Amino acid sequence: MASALCPQVLCSLGGWLSLYISFCHLNKHRSYEWSCRLVTFTHGILSIGLSAYIGFIDGPWPFTHPGSPNTPLQVHVLCLTLGYFIFDLGWCIYFQSEGPLMLAHHTLSILGIIMALVLGESGTEVNAVLFGSEITNPLLQMRWFLRETGHYHSFTGDVVDFLFVALFTGVRIGVGARLLFCEIVSPKPKWFVKVGGVAMYAVSWCFMFSIWRFAWRKSIKKYHAWRSRLSEERQQKHNGHLKTH
């Protein structure tokens, strides 16, 4: 099984690396991180679409059939994603662009996908975790691109931040808790698969604390800016009223 899957993973890794090199050539005036994030954005959109199709249409349903044998489509998507995570983890380590938490997330993702591929089962819930993990990724990359181009402090930036926080909280934390519960109570998945699920959910909570702190600081900043602007408008109206008298 492993020998049969290795070519798929290597092809995936080569494909993502080739895409990154192409982006670097097309964006010579930009940083390497710009091109890497374009690859990440592309993978995010692709993996969301594929994992959503598997979960909602092709099946089986992850909340009722955890530990099920992998379908051919699940195997292809997991190999595609495994190649991406290997590429991105290598990039992050080489350029030292991410902290321990993100490296832990990538490492757990790689181990989880390998585990599902080698076992030949649990691809159903791993695919669901992939969907929940990637659904906020395009928004995260959009936020970075907005910052780089000087358009972050705008209405668009506020909408992107709001959607990111809402989706992360609702899907990765809310729906993720339900998925983890179904995984743990089901007798089908292996015990170490369940441990991996707990570890991934714990990482999501670590991210969540950082996101909530950011959201709170931004909300307070926006509130004080609104109060200041409102006070200035009242002062201007008051001054204008005095001048008419």
Side-chain angles (χ1 to χ4, degrees):
M1 177 63 71
S3 60
L5 295 175
C6 281
Q8 289 191 55
V9 177
L10 290 175
C11 286
S12 171
L13 176 59
W16 293 115
L17 185 59
S18 298
L19 184 62
Y20 170 69
I21 294 173
S22 299
F23 281 143
C24 287
H25 282 295
L26 292 173
N27 300 278
K28 293 181 179 179
H29 60 293
R30 299 289 187 179
S31 65
Y32 290 129
E33 185 173 4
W34 179 281
S35 297
C36 184
R37 287 185 179 270
L38 283 176
V39 174
T40 300
F41 182 84
T42 304
H43 171 263
I45 295 296
L46 188 61
S47 61
I48 289 170
L50 290 172
S51 58
Y53 175 81
I54 290 173
F56 294 106
I57 299 176
D58 192 62
W61 187 238
F63 296 96
T64 56
H65 294 80
S68 300
N70 299 341
T71 66
L73 183 56
Q74 287 174 354
V75 171
H76 292 318
V77 172
L78 291 179
C79 287
L80 178 71
T81 299
L82 179 57
Y84 163 75
F85 275 119
I86 293 173
F87 157 77
D88 200 49
L89 179 62
W91 194 95
C92 292
I93 292 175
Y94 181 80
F95 287 96
Q96 300 181 350
S97 61
E98 298 292 345
L101 187 58
M102 183 60 74
L103 296 180
H105 170 269
H106 276 34
T107 302
L108 286 172
S109 298
I110 290 171
L111 293 176
I113 293 173
I114 291 175
M115 184 167 54
L117 290 173
V118 172
L119 290 174
E121 62 184 46
S122 290
T124 302
E125 57 266 37
V126 172
N127 176 80
V129 172
L130 173 63
F131 174 79
S133 298
E134 293 298 320
I135 196 170
T136 55
N137 196 296
L139 293 169
L140 184 63
Q141 307 314 316
M142 287 174 61
R143 183 174 181 269
W144 188 88
F145 287 125
L146 287 171
R147 278 189 177 278
E148 287 294 300
T149 55
H151 297 93
Y152 175 69
H153 298 289
S154 63
F155 176 74
T156 302
D158 292 340
V159 171
V160 168
D161 279 344
F162 173 79
L163 291 176
F164 175 75
V165 175
L167 278 175
F168 199 104
T169 305
V171 177
R172 291 187 68 163
I173 300 301
V175 179
R178 177 61 181 173
L179 180 63
L180 181 62
F181 173 78
C182 294
E183 176 82 4
I184 292 175
V185 299
S186 175
K188 288 185 178 181
K190 301 288 192 298
W191 67 268
F192 46 85
V193 176
K194 297 180 180 183
V195 171
V198 172
M200 281 296 292
Y201 191 66
V203 169
S204 292
W205 264 106
C206 291
F207 281 126
M208 189 74 265
F209 286 133
S210 298
I211 292 170
W212 279 346
R213 283 199 301 267
F214 154 77
W216 174 255
R217 289 196 300 266
K218 183 168 183 176
S219 299
I220 294 298
K221 186 177 180 180
K222 287 285 184 181
Y223 173 73
H224 286 311
W226 173 76
R227 287 290 302 271
S228 178
R229 186 169 59 253
L230 185 63
S231 178
E232 290 178 0
E233 290 176 357
R234 288 176 177 174
Q235 188 66 31
Q236 289 174 359
K237 289 181 180 180
H238 179 70
N239 291 339
H241 179 74
L242 289 178
K243 289 179 180 178
T244 57
H245 289 73

